Amino acid sequence: MQGDSTISEQDAAHERWMRLALEQADLAAAAGEVPVGAVLVKDGELLASGFNCPITSCDATAHAEIVALRSAAGKVANYRLPGTTLYVTIEPCTMCVGALMHARVGQLVFGAREPRAGAVSSQQQLTEQEFFNHRLSFVEGILAAECGERLQSFFRERRNRNGS
């Protein structure tokens, strides 16, 4: 039964970190941004966090994942972040998967799939491509319903506000 205990401990840790990513997503929504949040963890400690802010920062690359990677790289004075795990509420896009690969992030954990532009499971499977010289493992579906609802609620409110 030791294996069952380890699995549940890991699930609990994934949920704990994903809840922090959801808090970041809420910060994005409060700023009028698409509610996506991310946290980067190393050795069980929070290294960095970020939320979507391309509108307020006038930066198309300011996705939650990129913001967290930039913050972490600044803290450790290195763009490479081996041994880290990135938690993000929504499946990353092509740009973000590329950044995770270049940063040498060890593991990706995401909540809900992104059926239109997801580059891990939904539209592309970039983490499985042979041309990358880094391998990124991933876990999906952690608090998926909550993560997906954040996005759905945000866009539902936006449509209602705009009368669509």
Side-chain angles (χ1 to χ4, degrees):
M1 289 290 180
Q2 186 176 4
D4 291 345
S5 172
T6 303
I7 292 170
S8 66
E9 287 174 21
Q10 186 172 33
D11 288 347
H14 286 332
E15 286 188 15
R16 174 178 165 237
W17 294 116
M18 190 61 73
R19 289 202 186 285
L20 287 177
L22 281 163
E23 289 177 14
Q24 291 294 309
D26 291 340
L27 293 173
E33 301 276 2
V34 174
V36 179
V39 296
L40 190 69
V41 175
K42 182 166 183 159
D43 300 327
E45 299 290 326
L46 180 66
L47 184 57
S49 60
F51 58 85
N52 258 17
C53 58
I55 298 167
T56 55
S57 66
C58 297
D59 179 357
T61 68
H63 291 192
E65 301 94 323
I66 303 296
V67 172
L69 292 175
R70 285 179 180 154
S71 176
K75 286 180 183 175
V76 300
N78 193 335
Y79 76 98
R80 293 217 170 144
L81 302 164
T84 58
T85 299
L86 183 88
Y87 291 83
V88 63
T89 55
I90 302 299
E91 179 182 3
C93 70
T94 302
M95 173 186 71
C96 291
V97 171
L100 293 170
M101 293 294 204
H102 287 288
R104 304 296 195 267
V105 168
Q107 183 178 43
L108 166 68
V109 179
F110 66 89
R113 284 189 173 193
E114 211 299 27
R116 295 180 70 203
V120 178
S121 301
S122 297
Q123 289 297 324
Q124 301 179 60
Q125 293 74 41
L126 287 182
T127 61
E128 298 172 17
Q129 298 305 308
E130 300 280 327
F131 56 79
F132 283 114
N133 62 353
H134 174 68
R135 295 290 162 249
L136 173 66
S137 66
F138 72 91
V139 175
E140 67 176 292
I142 305 298
L143 302 178
E146 286 183 56
C147 293
E149 177 54 33
R150 290 291 201 291
L151 272 183
Q152 291 170 351
S153 177
F154 176 82
F155 286 113
R156 186 179 318 114
E157 288 176 25
R158 184 175 272 182
R159 282 190 302 274
N160 290 341
R161 227 184 356 242
N162 294 336
S164 301

